[in-house]
């Protein structure tokens, strides 16, 4: 014998039947059994009804739902013509959040430590990475504190400062035009080399390190001279007996947008021409290596372009799998064409979205090409599989409108939840500088 559900909880009732006797219900169980049941489908039911209505409309007016998306894709896809205009690649700006604490602190520093690249340049006052080209000259024979070694280094310095790039309208971008200046003169690439160039008879045996006083002006050599061998102490410094390396730094204008673009063009020309310069000089006593503020960024772009073809191959393999997996020997239940249209639909959605973002002026970063793989395969093709599975479970005796209505109502919650989750996840992964 067993008590009714109003007297005994379901688990207790089953246990009582197993033992052949009954257990009294607790007060808490009586309260729970007397409470009216609440409908918890507050989200599923409205979504199911809305998608059922949408499926009915799609089945009733198929040409409208086919042609309107095609027209929208054709219209929004024309936004891709702005891709060269809005294509940007700045590792520091576009891969850090807009409202980050680091950028707020940087703005605070910039307000209180102003800098002027055109007249009073000071690298110690800069809170962002400046445009520069760096050359490291290493002596392969004796110490570079020798007239012959310094002459070769001076030749390299002269050739670099004579370089000019070609800008718009075939204009020349010379180093003197883009160099950072102090009191109207380009900042010297190396203080010791500059002192020697002004006075070729400079006594190189009385150079002090790390601070060298030349004509009453102190020069700090610790950041520009390497491989040092020091002698006796003279005050706070030591005599510089030997040095094996010298660093040449060519600072360029960074603050103004136009000057920044001209500086980058000069740097790119420098990178393209330096190997030819090294060969033409036929350096015998020194070995030189170079690095610029754009080297890391250019290597990053090159790496992105080598990885992108692999993602294209992966996308092609997944598309083929998505289409072939819907193949059935039964011609009625074969859904390969439906799978192909589903993949094409996801691709058209990606084109429309990117075209719209370019229309409103969003910058485009080259690494975002990788996201096409996730947008097309993760957000589009997975929902296609769900809908095809639901379609194959509908009755063949129903008409198209009824079958589509049933499919849309059954997959409503699944598609909505997965799509919203994927969009939120990708939204957190995309850099907060509003780039696509």
């Amino acid at each position: 014998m067993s008590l009714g559900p109003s007297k005994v909880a379901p688990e207790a009732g089953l246990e009582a039947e197993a033992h052949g006797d009954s257990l009294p219900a607790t007060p808490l169980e009586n309260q729970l059994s007397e409470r009216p049941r609440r409908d918890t489908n507050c989200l599923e039911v409205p979504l199911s009804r809305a998608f059922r209505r949408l499926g009915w409309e799609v089945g009733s007016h198929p040409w409208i739902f086919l042609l309107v998306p095609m027209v929208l894709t054709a219209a929004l896809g024309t936004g891709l013509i702005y891709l060269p205009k809005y294509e940007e690649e700045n590792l520091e700006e576009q891969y850090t959040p807009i409202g980050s604490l680091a950028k707020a602190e940087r703005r605070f520093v910039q307000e209180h430590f102003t800098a002027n690249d055109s007249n009073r340049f000071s690298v110690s006052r800069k809170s962002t990475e400046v445009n520069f080209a760096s050359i490291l000259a290493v002596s392969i024979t004796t110490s570079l504190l020798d007239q012959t070694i310094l002459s070769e280094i001076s030749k390299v310095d002269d050739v670099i400062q004579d370089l000019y790039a070609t800008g718009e309208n075939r204009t020349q971008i010379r180093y003197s035009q883009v160099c950072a200046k102090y009191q109207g003169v380009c900042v010297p690439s190396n203080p010791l080399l500059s002192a020697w160039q002004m006075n070729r008879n400079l006594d190189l045996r009385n150079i002090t390190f790390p601070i060298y006083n030349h004509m009453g002006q102190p020069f700090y050599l610790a950041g520009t001279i390497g491989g040092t061998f020091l002698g006796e102490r003279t005050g706070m410094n030591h005599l510089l007996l030997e040095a094996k390396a010298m660093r040449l730094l060519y600072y360029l204008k960074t603050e103004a947008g136009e000057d920044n673009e001209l500086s980058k063009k000069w740097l790119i020309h420098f990178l393209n021409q330096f190997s030819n310069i090294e060969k033409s000089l036929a350096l015998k006593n020194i070995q030189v290596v170079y690095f610029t503020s754009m080297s890391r960024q250019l290597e990053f772009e090159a790496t992105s372009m080598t990885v992108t073809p692999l993602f294209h191959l992966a996308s092609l393999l997944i598309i083929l799998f998505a289409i072939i997996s819907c193949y059935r020997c039964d011609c009625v239940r074969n859904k390969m064409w439906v799978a192909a249209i589903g993949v094409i639909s996801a691709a058209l959605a990606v084109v429309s979205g990117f075209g719209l973002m370019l229309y409103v002026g969003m910058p485009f970063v080259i690494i975002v090409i990788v996201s096409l793989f996730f947008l097309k395969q993760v957000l589009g093709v997975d929902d296609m599989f769900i809908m095809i599975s639901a379609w194959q479970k509908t009755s063949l005796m129903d008409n198209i409108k009824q079958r589509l209505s049933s499919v849309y109502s059954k997959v409503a919650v699944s598609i909505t939840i997965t799509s919203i989750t994927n969009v939120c996840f990708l939204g957190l992964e995309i850099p907060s500088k509003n780039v696509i």
Side-chain angles (χ1 to χ4, degrees):
M1 182 181 68
S2 62
L3 298 177
S6 62
K7 298 297 183 181
V8 182
E11 292 81 0
L14 293 175
E15 186 178 355
E17 288 185 358
H19 289 82
D21 54 357
S22 60
L23 295 176
T26 63
L28 179 60
E29 291 172 345
N30 288 331
Q31 293 177 4
L32 293 176
S33 62
E34 292 174 359
R35 288 182 180 178
R37 290 191 174 185
R38 297 180 179 179
D39 188 6
T40 58
N41 296 333
C42 57
L43 181 61
E44 180 180 358
V45 172
L47 282 175
S48 180
R49 290 175 180 172
F51 274 82
R52 180 184 294 274
R53 181 62 181 174
L54 177 61
W56 185 272
E57 294 295 333
V58 173
S60 303
H61 310 90
W63 286 107
I64 295 178
F65 286 91
L66 176 63
L67 296 178
V68 170
M70 297 292 291
V71 173
L72 285 176
T73 300
L76 296 177
T78 56
L80 296 176
I81 63 177
Y82 297 104
L83 181 59
K85 178 180 178 181
Y86 293 115
E87 187 173 359
E88 296 183 5
E89 195 67 33
N90 190 316
L91 300 181
E92 185 178 8
E93 290 294 327
Q94 295 174 352
Y95 290 86
T96 54
I98 292 178
S100 63
L101 181 60
K103 286 191 174 180
E105 293 174 347
R106 174 181 295 173
R107 287 191 295 269
F108 178 82
V109 173
Q110 290 174 342
E111 291 175 358
H112 294 80
F113 289 85
T114 59
N116 187 348
D117 292 346
S118 300
N119 190 36
R120 298 189 63 84
F121 174 81
S122 175
V123 67
S124 61
R125 297 178 69 90
K126 304 293 291 187
S127 57
T128 58
E129 187 175 12
V130 300
N131 296 323
F132 70 89
S134 176
I135 297 177
L136 182 63
V138 180
S139 174
I140 58 179
T141 55
T142 59
S143 170
L144 60 81
L145 299 178
D146 183 83
Q147 298 289 340
T148 304
I149 306 297
L150 289 178
S151 296
E152 287 195 359
I153 298 177
S154 181
K155 288 180 182 179
V156 176
D157 180 68
D158 292 337
V159 173
I160 297 302
Q161 296 198 32
D162 288 337
L163 274 180
Y164 61 89
T166 303
E168 298 180 358
N169 300 324
R170 308 298 297 178
T171 58
Q172 294 183 353
I173 306 174
R174 296 190 172 275
Y175 174 75
S176 58
Q177 179 183 351
V178 297
C179 68
K181 298 180 179 180
Y182 186 81
Q183 295 182 353
V185 180
C186 291
V187 176
S189 59
N190 186 284
L192 180 58
L193 179 64
S194 176
W196 181 83
Q197 288 174 336
M198 290 187 294
N199 181 15
R200 297 299 177 101
N201 296 321
L202 182 68
D203 188 2
L204 299 175
R205 295 173 298 179
N206 292 326
I207 304 295
T208 56
F209 188 88
I211 298 177
Y212 171 59
N213 289 283
H214 177 66
M215 300 178 63
Q217 183 177 0
F219 295 112
Y220 187 68
L221 303 180
T224 59
I225 301 296
T228 58
F229 182 75
L230 304 180
E232 61 182 11
R233 190 181 186 90
T234 58
M236 299 296 294
N237 304 301
H238 293 265
L239 283 177
L240 182 60
L241 301 181
E242 183 177 339
K244 298 292 293 184
M246 176 178 287
R247 186 183 184 188
L248 308 180
L249 278 169
Y250 301 90
Y251 290 110
L252 307 179
K253 296 178 181 178
T254 309
E255 287 183 337
E258 183 179 357
D259 292 337
N260 186 31
E261 292 301 321
L262 295 177
S263 298
K264 289 181 178 180
K265 290 181 179 180
W266 188 90
L267 284 176
I268 293 175
H269 181 72
F270 166 82
L271 291 172
N272 295 333
Q273 296 295 322
F274 189 82
S275 58
N276 297 330
I277 293 173
E278 188 176 2
K279 292 178 181 179
S280 63
L281 291 177
L283 304 175
K284 299 180 180 180
N285 299 304
I286 60 174
Q287 181 181 3
V288 293
V289 293
Y290 61 94
F291 178 81
T292 71
S293 56
M294 294 187 63
S295 298
R296 181 176 62 249
Q297 178 176 321
L298 294 175
E299 290 181 4
F300 185 80
E301 294 177 9
T303 303
S304 301
M305 297 308 296
T306 56
V307 174
T308 300
L310 299 179
F311 278 96
H312 292 166
L313 178 61
S315 299
L316 178 62
L317 293 177
I318 290 181
I319 290 172
L320 292 176
F321 171 78
I323 296 175
I324 295 174
S325 62
C326 294
Y327 174 76
R328 300 292 184 273
C329 294
D330 186 357
C331 296
V332 176
R333 295 187 176 274
N334 184 23
K335 302 302 176 189
M336 287 187 65
W337 282 109
V338 177
I341 296 300
V343 173
I344 294 174
S345 176
L348 294 179
V350 171
V351 173
S352 301
F354 275 74
L356 177 61
M357 293 296 101
L358 289 171
Y359 259 128
V360 299
M362 288 287 184
F364 183 87
V365 182
I366 191 66
I367 193 61
V368 180
I369 292 179
V370 177
S371 69
L372 299 179
F373 172 80
F374 300 102
L375 292 174
K376 185 167 65 175
Q377 308 303 334
V378 177
L379 297 181
V381 178
D382 61 340
D383 294 339
M384 179 198 71
F385 280 113
I386 297 174
M387 297 189 70
I388 290 178
S389 177
W391 176 268
Q392 291 177 337
K393 294 178 182 179
T394 58
S395 175
L396 297 177
M397 303 304 295
D398 296 337
N399 57 33
I400 298 297
K401 292 184 288 186
Q402 292 173 336
R403 296 181 72 181
L404 278 177
S405 179
S406 176
V407 168
Y408 274 63
S409 64
K410 291 179 180 178
V411 303
V413 178
S414 177
I415 289 180
T416 303
I417 292 177
T418 56
S419 298
I420 293 177
T421 303
N422 291 332
V423 168
C424 293
F425 173 75
L426 290 176
L428 293 175
E429 291 297 322
I430 292 176
S432 299
K433 181 139 173 55
N434 297 332
V435 296
I436 61 171

